[in-house]
Amino acid sequence: MNYRGPFRVRAEQRPMPEILHPEDAIIRVTRTCICGSDLHLYHGMVPDTRVGSTFGHEFTGIVEEIGALVTNVKIGDQVLVPFNIACGKCNFCKQGLYGNCHESNSMATAVGAIFGYSHTAGGYNGGQAEYVRVPYANFGPTVIPADMDPDDAVLLTDVVPTGYQAAEMGGIKEGDTVVVFGAGPIGIMAARCAWFFGPSRVIIIDHLDYRLEFAKNYAKCEAYNFKSMPDPVLFLKKITDWYGADVCIDCVGCEAEGNALQTFTGKITLMQAGSATALQWAINSVKKGGIVSIVGVYGPPFNFVPIGNVLNKGITIRANQASVKRLLPRLIEHVQSGRLNPKGLITHRIPLEEVSDAYHIFSSKLDECIKTVLIPSTKH
Amino acid sequence: MKTENFDYKSIPGWGMDMDPENEPTYPMKNYTGDDHKRSEYEKSSQQPVDIEVLKSNERPTYSAVFGSSVPPSGLSGMIRRYAFKHSEDRYRHWIPLIIADRVNAVEGIFEDLKKGTIPNILAERGWKSELKYNPAGLAKKVFVGALVTSFVITYLARKKG
Ligand SMILES: [Zn+2]
Ligand SMILES: [Zn+2]
């Protein structure tokens, strides 16, 4: 996969990745997904996304080659690779903040390193390819349990941990009302995982009926289309006894719909780093003293966020890229026990060669697309 | 769309992670006592810096490992080098990078032409799938495009005359 500029990607032969560090591994990709956050790259919203980059931070594969110091995986192992590149040894990694590793991204200090996610996130090529270089192979790649469906495994690289951490950061307590903004794969997963923490209500908000329908079935939650209401914040206040939700979760990020001013300043004129509508709604519809959890991706520079309301309402904001490796043991257990069915999110399976169409389908929300898996043919 | 009568406790996994003794909510900080030792940790060997890597000026050294997918080049590279003279706190870091990305997209077209390939922009934009799943939308786009073009041509023709 080769990025050529906004809305333009194509499949083509690229040079084989090489071991550049003794702790690297080369992995032959068996499955890779397109993520909602890839669309921010595809739309040209993320700074320092260079033409010639390969995207893809959700992938599984087979270890093809290992560097001299790699001992944790061996050639032939089937592995899932967490989307964040982490050393496992720096002081942030030691705290479990694997999304904030200090030894994998030279290009920025505010963002950790992510496969195939611009030079701001480290300048690594991603997994929407036949082969990919995986740094810190002693830490990240995790052998897929023998009894696990490979489609479940690939979603454990990002969607499941991110959705789960979104719910986790909400600090949900028994009886809480949780509102999830965005019924993309992460939002649906966050709504599903929220139930693990014992709330009494989970509500999901989006603007596309087919996604809401999917969310309602998959996550067993209440689902509302904000296009059908004059004021979503007012609506949420009304259905929560004029009190506000206990926990609001933003699974949208910088390309939110629904607010003309945010759209104009954030998406059309780029006066801010994307439209922050979902975050604005989350802050304004959570109860006083409530918790807002953010996993939607925002650009690094600047956003119009109602910070005054955060202060006056005494809101706690928690946000991060998911620390995949920290959550994997718990989530693998949830999948193995049947409590969680990640592959249920997959609606499309497309050969890697058709990557241009795959991106367009997902970006334009065609064919009721929720989650796409790309499969490399790997004839070699 | 109301599902209020649903028995939530019947959902498999309800309350699963709610054990207050095992509160999983972050920050459940894994306190190591090392917070103020900052950079005193066992660091992997340094990946050789044998290509041009634009390093954030908010850190003194390169990270032990870094990506090397597309080194800066051409005009966009010059803009990026300028951007990296400024910290991540400054607009003059991020805005030039966004501009460089736009310049880079144009450079990409020239790069293709130089290699003797004419980029199939419609295919790259996935219009095959647009045709398959949204033919009405595509027809509208083509129609609007044609309309705009004809207006522009008419306007230019009139201006000349
Ligand atoms: Zn993702
Ligand atoms: Zn680290």
Side-chain angles (χ1 to χ4, degrees), chain A residues 31-350:
Chain A
R31 274 170 181 69
T32 176
C33 298
I34 303 179
C35 178
S37 57
D38 285 333
L39 296 182
H40 308 319
L41 297 170
Y42 180 66
H43 297 161
M45 304 282 287
V46 181
D48 217 356
T49 302
R50 301 181 191 170
V51 167
S53 306
T54 296
F55 300 166
H57 56 267
E58 303 177 4
F59 57 95
T60 57
I62 298 166
V63 179
E64 184 86 7
E65 196 185 336
I66 52 175
L69 294 178
V70 175
T71 52
N72 229 22
V73 290
K74 54 185 191 309
I75 290 164
D77 278 351
Q78 305 253 9
V79 292
L80 67 91
V81 183
F83 74 89
N84 15 56
I85 301 169
C87 73
K89 295 187 280 196
C90 70
N91 277 331
F92 299 111
C93 283
K94 276 195 242 167
Q95 292 174 17
L97 291 166
Y98 303 123
N100 311 98
C101 175
H102 203 60
E103 290 298 339
S104 49
N105 184 0
S106 288
M107 290 80 176
T109 58
V111 192
I114 302 173
F115 286 100
Y117 211 79
S118 84
H119 278 66
T120 299
Y124 295 88
N125 273 326
Q128 287 165 10
E130 292 180 307
Y131 296 91
V132 59
R133 170 198 173 210
V134 173
Y136 295 127
N138 282 331
F139 186 74
T142 302
V143 175
I144 300 169
D147 61 347
M148 182 173 281
D149 188 311
D151 285 344
D152 283 332
V154 74
L155 296 183
L156 282 169
T157 61
D158 178 358
V159 182
V160 182
T162 300
Y164 184 91
Q165 188 170 314
E168 186 194 50
M169 290 189 301
I172 301 165
K173 288 179 246 354
E174 182 165 5
D176 276 358
T177 294
V178 179
V179 178
V180 177
F181 293 87
I186 301 284
I188 295 171
M189 190 52 71
R192 182 67 191 80
C193 290
W195 290 117
F196 291 148
F197 301 88
S200 64
R201 287 176 84 181
V202 178
I203 297 164
I204 199 162
I205 304 284
D206 197 87
H207 65 110
L208 294 168
D209 283 326
Y210 85 86
R211 302 214 296 187
L212 289 163
E213 200 54 38
F214 193 100
K216 206 161 68 170
N217 293 326
Y218 184 88
K220 303 282 181 286
C221 59
E222 297 168 53
Y224 300 103
N225 191 329
F226 66 75
K227 285 266 160 83
S228 71
M229 50 184 77
D231 184 340
V233 172
L234 189 66
F235 172 81
L236 288 168
K237 284 279 170 64
K238 188 175 149 206
I239 64 166
T240 51
D241 300 325
W242 301 103
Y243 200 67
D246 301 284
V247 177
C248 282
I249 302 177
D250 171 3
C251 296
V252 178
C254 63
E255 294 194 65
E257 308 248 343
N259 176 315
L261 187 66
Q262 289 273 7
T263 302
F264 179 75
T265 55
K267 287 166 72 177
I268 298 171
T269 57
L270 290 181
M271 286 159 64
Q272 57 168 336
S275 123
T277 307
L279 183 53
Q280 184 187 327
W281 287 353
I283 289 168
N284 289 340
S285 47
V286 79
K287 71 175 181 188
K288 293 171 203 170
I291 298 176
V292 171
S293 161
I294 312 170
V295 292
V297 172
Y298 289 91
F302 38 93
N303 280 100
F304 301 153
V305 172
I307 198 71
N309 294 358
V310 174
L311 169 79
N312 288 327
K313 292 174 74 175
I315 293 166
T316 300
I317 293 185
R318 286 171 168 172
N320 207 349
Q321 299 277 0
S323 283
V324 177
K325 193 79 186 181
R326 174 175 67 85
L327 296 166
L328 275 180
R330 180 181 290 262
L331 296 175
I332 286 173
E333 207 273 316
H334 279 328
V335 174
Q336 284 177 326
S337 67
R339 286 189 290 269
L340 206 52
N341 169 29
K343 65 174 178 295
L345 286 179
I346 297 170
T347 52
H348 287 66
R349 305 171 69 84
I350 299 177

Side-chain angles (χ1 to χ4, degrees), chain A residues 4-10 20-23 42 44-53 89-91 94-95 97 102-110 119-120 122-125 133 135-136 164 168 171 174 192 195-201 216 220-225 239 270 300-302 318 326 330 334 339 356-357 360-361 364 366-367, chain B residues 1-4 6 8-9 11-18 22 24-30 32 34-35 37-48 53-56 58-59 62-72 80 84 88 91 94 97-98 101-102 104-105 108-109 111-112 119 121 123-130 133-134:
Chain A
R4 303 310 300 172
F7 299 93
R8 290 174 52 217
V9 298
R10 68 183 180 222
L20 301 176
H21 186 271
E23 291 168 57
Y42 180 66
M45 304 282 287
V46 181
D48 217 356
T49 302
R50 301 181 191 170
V51 167
S53 306
K89 295 187 280 196
C90 70
N91 277 331
K94 276 195 242 167
Q95 292 174 17
L97 291 166
H102 203 60
E103 290 298 339
S104 49
N105 184 0
S106 288
M107 290 80 176
T109 58
H119 278 66
T120 299
Y124 295 88
N125 273 326
R133 170 198 173 210
Y136 295 127
Y164 184 91
E168 186 194 50
E174 182 165 5
R192 182 67 191 80
W195 290 117
F196 291 148
F197 301 88
S200 64
R201 287 176 84 181
K216 206 161 68 170
K220 303 282 181 286
C221 59
E222 297 168 53
Y224 300 103
N225 191 329
I239 64 166
L270 290 181
F302 38 93
R318 286 171 168 172
R326 174 175 67 85
R330 180 181 290 262
H334 279 328
R339 286 189 290 269
S356 314
D357 290 309
H360 183 73
I361 289 170
S364 299
L366 301 176
D367 197 29
Chain B
M1 261 214 250
K2 289 250 171 186
T3 47
E4 262 158 31
F6 194 85
Y8 298 106
K9 298 197 181 192
I11 292 173
W14 193 91
M16 179 60 55
D17 288 345
M18 208 176 51
N22 180 26
T25 307
Y26 201 87
M28 45 154 204
K29 184 170 174 177
N30 181 12
T32 59
D34 287 345
D35 283 29
K37 295 191 183 154
R38 308 250 194 260
S39 53
E40 288 172 39
Y41 50 83
E42 184 210 340
K43 189 176 162 175
S44 292
S45 60
Q46 179 64 53
Q47 176 182 335
V53 179
L54 296 174
K55 180 175 70 62
S56 169
E58 290 189 31
R59 56 179 303 145
Y62 291 94
S63 53
V65 161
F66 52 82
S68 55
S69 58
V70 188
R80 294 192 209 282
F84 274 85
E88 294 162 59
Y91 292 164
W94 298 111
L97 286 177
I98 288 274
D101 289 349
R102 301 293 98 87
N104 199 191
I109 292 174
E111 178 194 307
D112 276 341
I121 292 176
E124 288 171 353
R125 294 176 69 104
W127 278 41
K128 215 170 69 193
S129 56
E130 182 79 14
Y133 298 112
N134 190 20

Side-chain angles (χ1 to χ4, degrees), chain B residues 110-122:
Chain B
F110 283 110
E111 178 194 307
D112 276 341
L113 293 175
K114 224 162 63 189
K115 281 190 200 148
T117 45
I118 296 163
N120 187 344
I121 292 176
L122 286 187

